[in-house]
Every structure is written in C-alpha cells, then in structure tokens.
Amino acid sequence: VLKRIVSTVKFLAVPGLAFRGSDEKFGSLTNGNFLGCLELLAEYDPFLATHIERYGSSGRGTASYLSSQTCNEFIGLMTSHVKNTIVEELKIAKYFSFSVDSTPDITHVDQLTFTVRYVSANGVPVERFLQFVPVVSHTGESLYQVIKTTFQELGISLADCVGQTYDNASNMSGIYNGVQAHVLSDNPRALFIPCMAHSLNLSENVAAESCVQAFFGVVQKLYVFLSSSTSRWNVLMEKLKTTDGSVPKRLSETRWSARADALNSLNSNYRVYTEVLQLIAEDPLQKKATQSEAYSLIKALTKLETGFLTAFWSCILKRTNLTSKLLQSETASLGSSVSLLQSLSEFVAMLRERNKFEEFVEMGKKLSGSLQFSQKRTKYFQRTSDDQSAQDVTLSSSEEFRISTFLVIIDSFLLDLRKRIKAYSKVDELFSFLRHTDVEADVSLNGVVDFYSEDLEDLNAVENEWFQWRSLLKNLDVTFCSPSEMLKLMVQNDFSTSFPNTYILLRQYLTLPVTNCTSERSFSHLKRIKSALRSTQTQERLNNLSLLNIEGELLQELDFSTVIDAFSSAKCRKRSF
C-alpha cells in the first residue's frame, strides 16, 4: 500500500498538481487528485481495490494509510530525502555558487528563492533549487543575514562558496551595502558575477530608450487593437490562413524575448496587418472610434520610419534573443558566455561600420510602401547682430534619421554592453590560462594560484602539473578541449589523482555562475503551486511541493524504499513477545 502511495505522490508532485479536493471520501466526484488516482489504480489492482474496500471509509482510529495525513507525511519525508540528496552532492562537490531572487506570491508574501550550482560526480555542472524563504526587508544587510541563516540551517558552509550572482538591483549588486559586498566581506573568494542575461536585457533597454521614435508603442498598440476584439481577431485569422504567418505578440517590459517574437511576427506579416487594418477602417459596421484607431495605425505602419525600425530591430533582437537563450543554459560556462557577449557586440558594431543603413532602408520601403522618410518642418531662429554669418547645416530627411536614430541606437547599445562586459573581464582573466591548451603557449598561473592559495599547492607545482596536462591532451590528440570536456575526460579516465590542482581549478571554474535564470524559473512553479485556490497552504508545505516539483527529474531517479521502510517501522503497532 505504501509503495502505491509513494508512486501516486510522485506522479502528482512532479507536475505540481493539487492533492486534496473538497472532501476525502472514496467514490466522491470532488475527493481530489490523490484519492482519485488511488481509485483509478484500484480498477486494475485487485490488492489495492480490496484494501480500499475494507479500510477506505473506516474513519479515524483505523490504520488505512489512505488519509491526507499519511499523504502529507510522505510529502515531508520525500522532500527531506530529495533535499538531503542535494546537500550531500553539494558537500561532495565542496565548491558551490548560489543565486537568490525574490517575488511576491498570490498572498503578497515576498518569497526569496535559493538556487545552488555545483559540479556533480560525473563532471557536469548542475543547478538545484533549495527552498523559498519569506522576507520582509530588502536591504543588503537583512538579505545577507537571511542567506547566512539559511545556509547554516542546511549545514552548508559559506567558506566553500566560489561565486554568487544576482540581478543588477542596487540592494543586490551594490559594491558597498549590497548583498554581494556583505558576502565578499565574509568570504573574499565568493566572486560576484552579475546575471549576464539580465545585463543583456538592460543594454537593449538603454538602446530602445535612446530612440526618439515611439516605435515599440506602435507595436503594442497594434497587438492591443487586434486582440481586444474577437471580430477583429477573426478577420486577422482569415488573412493569416493564406500566409501561414504568426499572430501578433504582446510586448513585455522585463522579457525581451517577447519583443523578439513580436518583431518577428510584425516583420513577417507587415503587409497582412496593414490589409487587416484597412478592412476594419473601411467597414461601415465598425464604430467611429474603432475606424479612427485603425486609420491611426495604418498611418503609422505606412511610414518609412516604422518599416525601417521593424527590419532593424527584428535583426538586432533575433541575434540577442538567441544569445540570451544560450546564456540561460545551466551548463553555460563563464568563458563561453563572455565570448558570446563579445561576439554580439562585434555583430552590432558591424552594422555600423559596414553602413547597413541603406539595406535597412530598402527593407523598410518594401514593408511600408513609402519611398522616403517624413520631412520635418525647418525651424528658423531669429538672428541677432552678433551672430556669426555661417549658414546652418541642412540635412536630408534620410541623413537626419541615420544620425539621430540609427547611429544613436547602435552606439547606445554598444556603449552599455561593452561597459557590462568589462564587469566580467576580471574573473575571465583569472582563468585565461584555460584558453591556452597548446604546450608551446606561454601561460601565467600567478593570479589564480594567489587567489585560491588555500586550495592549491605552490606556484611551481601547479605550473608543472598544468604543463603535463597540456602534454597529455596533445598525446591524446585533443586539438581543442573546453573546460567542461577537460573535466569529463579527467573523471572518465580517473586522472584526478594525478592532476589534483588542475582538477580543483576546473571544478571551481565550472561552478562559477553565469545567470540567475534558474532562480527566476522557480517563480513560475511558485505561481502554479500557490495559486488562488491553494493560497492558504503553509510555508512548509509550499517548500515541500516546490522542491518536489522543481527537482522532478531528481525525484524520479531516487529510490524511496528506505523512506517506506522507515515510515512502516515507525507506524508499526505489532509487538513481538
């Protein structure tokens, strides 16, 4: 019976489904998913069917093991088993990094999520969720105390922390009173790495705000206008059936991947949207306000500026979105992520240097149907007697748009992105020796040996070991080997005992975090588990269900026979004489 209960709990916990219903009676239509699943199993399991028939409605005082109390006990036992497994893996790995982030739940309680990153026994970096902690104050000092207390309760030492990552909020990343400053004062080796995906979003935001054209406002108005009415949406769907195009997308202030999807849709179906708006504007059955708004959107879409910015931003956001998705991978390493940001910076710079302006102008003409930019009225200023006699420079509408919009967007994006890339240069330079695996290359290990002096041997021993390791890679005919591939090669061939310092450095490097996206993903699980219908659950139950849901893959792999044995031994009422 207990084995079947554990299987049912696992089945419901992995997707984050609710357990209990309005009542706890077998045969009821509102008895919830837990009893419902047991009833379904009983249809094909004679043993469980007999047990439910005998004890299912026995009430209090009879040990049926089918009650919500038994279910809750198993949820707690399984959660403890999963959490202990994560903590034990972390202690075996020794080195870890962490990230925290907070969001309010449905009951307006601010939940601080904890995520740790470490290298597993098979040499692969993993990121694991630990728990949610309710917080009230958001100052750097108070959040640091919460972090310190939580790790102490879990038996995790902050002295083994090698990295920390948060978003770019001042209370988290501030160099004086931010959380990272307090952690560094306790452990100087806990390198702070700002979330790269968040930094990329901020750079895009700076570029968008530098544009004087209200372009993204037009994109959002187009979505709102077409999606707020079922009749308008049906007209759009009829048009899109012939083109197999994508529907308009809503913009998001925080997720720029949504903007990339919106621009991709607009760029692919620009003419379709214009035709739909024209049909709505000329429909006599529509309200005057609706027709007026449709004409306003048509006027905006038929401008060359809108067509140009659609093609331009679609190109930029497509590359940044794909780059951001790579940065959000759990197995991403620091060096490859910095190289990704640098390559994106070089791509944007290429658009400026190769003067791609004319190409985007031609794309804009095809989309909008307009052949020239809007001509602004020339402003004349009254001259005084002491003004210089030099005449004002008059620019064409095309040249003025290139200078005031195209170049401003590119330069703003490049300036902010390069500034943020510099924040990672110090850490990346510390492990720069990993990029030079050629035996003939001159490699300096002074910086990394000084920084991790407590974990490594003296400089001479580390240099000799690294030279032999590079020779071994050459003899194995490994022309290029990334740090993750090096560590896997070392683990698979049991080279760690011969190259202990290299083994330590590789694990520390791969433990360094790149983004805090795993922490932010936990918010989606939080929203699903603590919903409006499940808002009265306790913090302990929230943490239990969240851990089983987020770490579902680990939950499926674990064997709970020891948990069942421990539970049955504790609940056994038989006595031997």
Side-chain angles (χ1 to χ4, degrees), residues 469 487-499 503:
W469 172 250
L487 187 59
K488 289 180 183 178
L489 180 66
M490 188 172 286
V491 171
Q492 292 171 358
N493 296 277
D494 197 21
F495 289 147
S496 58
T497 54
S498 301
F499 302 93
Y503 182 58

Side-chain angles (χ1 to χ4, degrees), residues 180-441:
Q180 65 104 356
H182 291 287
V183 174
L184 284 173
S185 64
D186 194 8
N187 179 11
R189 297 188 306 164
L191 295 168
F192 169 60
I193 302 174
C195 175
M196 292 191 180
H198 190 255
S199 297
L200 182 56
N201 279 355
L202 291 177
S203 297
E204 291 174 318
N205 192 55
V206 168
E209 290 179 349
S210 67
C211 178
V212 296
Q213 303 287 334
F215 171 67
F216 287 106
V218 174
V219 179
Q220 180 67 2
K221 286 181 180 179
L222 177 65
Y223 167 79
V224 172
F225 178 76
L226 293 175
S227 63
S228 59
S229 169
T230 54
S231 61
R232 297 174 217 158
W233 193 260
N234 289 335
V235 174
L236 175 63
M237 291 298 101
E238 290 297 325
K239 280 289 184 179
L240 290 178
K241 283 181 181 178
T242 59
T243 60
D244 295 328
S246 57
V247 298
K249 305 292 184 180
R250 182 177 63 88
L251 300 184
S252 173
E253 294 182 2
T254 56
R255 298 188 179 185
W256 276 77
S257 59
R259 301 203 177 199
D261 295 337
L263 265 295
N264 180 55
S265 174
L266 179 59
N267 190 46
S268 303
N269 306 291
Y270 199 97
R271 288 297 183 91
V272 175
Y273 295 159
T274 306
E275 292 175 6
V276 170
L277 292 173
Q278 194 69 39
L279 289 174
I280 295 172
E282 296 175 355
D283 187 358
L285 299 179
Q286 297 289 341
K287 295 180 180 179
K288 295 299 182 181
T290 302
Q291 291 179 316
S292 176
E293 190 172 356
Y295 277 122
S296 175
L297 288 170
I298 292 172
K299 183 178 179 181
L301 291 180
T302 52
K303 288 183 178 180
L304 179 55
E305 289 88 341
T306 306
F308 177 94
L309 290 173
T310 299
F312 173 66
W313 274 112
S314 180
C315 175
I316 294 289
L317 292 179
K318 181 179 180 180
R319 298 313 317 160
T320 54
N321 187 39
L322 294 174
T323 302
S324 180
K325 288 182 178 180
L326 287 175
L327 293 175
Q328 296 173 34
S329 172
E330 294 183 4
T331 58
S333 63
L334 180 66
S336 61
S337 301
V338 172
S339 299
L340 270 174
L341 289 180
Q342 290 175 340
S343 64
L344 179 62
S345 174
E346 292 170 358
F347 166 75
V348 177
M350 178 271 296
L351 299 179
R352 190 187 203 284
E353 294 170 358
R354 296 190 179 181
N355 196 16
K356 294 285 185 175
F357 177 77
E358 295 299 331
E359 294 184 15
F360 288 122
V361 169
E362 294 302 319
M363 295 180 189
K365 289 179 180 179
K366 292 180 181 179
L367 293 175
S368 64
S370 178
L371 299 179
Q372 61 181 2
F373 292 99
S374 301
Q375 186 69 40
K376 293 184 179 180
R377 185 171 62 87
T378 305
K379 294 183 179 180
Y380 295 96
F381 300 94
Q382 184 177 3
R383 292 182 176 275
T384 58
S385 58
D386 58 345
D387 284 342
Q388 297 181 357
S389 58
Q391 296 182 353
D392 295 334
V393 177
T394 303
L395 299 175
S396 64
S397 57
S398 175
E399 186 66 14
E400 184 178 355
F401 185 83
R402 186 182 76 88
I403 295 174
S404 63
T405 302
F406 177 71
L407 296 181
V408 169
I409 293 175
I410 290 181
D411 292 344
S412 300
F413 183 80
L414 287 177
L415 183 64
D416 192 79
L417 184 59
R418 288 169 179 172
K419 179 185 69 175
R420 297 186 184 279
I421 291 176
K422 288 182 180 179
Y424 311 109
S425 59
K426 178 183 177 182
V427 183
D428 186 47
E429 196 63 32
L430 193 65
F431 291 91
S432 60
F433 67 93
L434 293 173
R435 294 194 291 267
H436 307 290
T437 56
D438 189 7
V439 182
E440 288 75 19

Side-chain angles (χ1 to χ4, degrees), residues 109-180:
V109 175
D110 207 30
Q111 300 285 354
L112 187 70
T113 177
F114 279 78
T115 303
V116 291
R117 177 186 172 105
Y118 56 89
V119 177
S120 61
N122 58 0
V124 178
V126 294
E127 295 182 357
R128 300 291 190 194
F129 168 81
L130 289 178
Q131 65 184 64
F132 290 111
V133 178
V135 294
V136 178
S137 175
H138 290 82
T139 63
E141 173 64 27
S142 62
L143 292 176
Y144 166 68
Q145 293 300 329
V146 172
I147 293 171
K148 188 175 181 180
T149 302
T150 302
F151 281 134
Q152 287 176 349
E153 293 174 351
L154 294 173
I156 302 173
S157 175
L158 268 177
D160 295 327
C161 178
V162 298
Q164 50 178 324
T165 182
Y166 323 105
D167 56 24
N168 289 267
S170 59
N171 65 328
M172 307 300 294
S173 58
I175 61 175
Y176 299 111
N177 294 316
V179 174
Q180 65 104 356

Side-chain angles (χ1 to χ4, degrees), residues 48-83:
L48 184 59
T50 303
H51 183 79
I52 291 176
E53 183 179 356
R54 293 179 60 185
Y55 303 105
S57 303
S58 57
R60 292 182 179 273
T62 303
S64 66
Y65 304 109
L66 301 173
S67 64
S68 59
Q69 181 180 353
T70 302
C71 175
N72 292 337
E73 289 182 18
F74 265 105
I75 291 175
L77 289 171
M78 294 168 67
T79 301
S80 298
H81 193 45
V82 173
K83 183 176 289 187

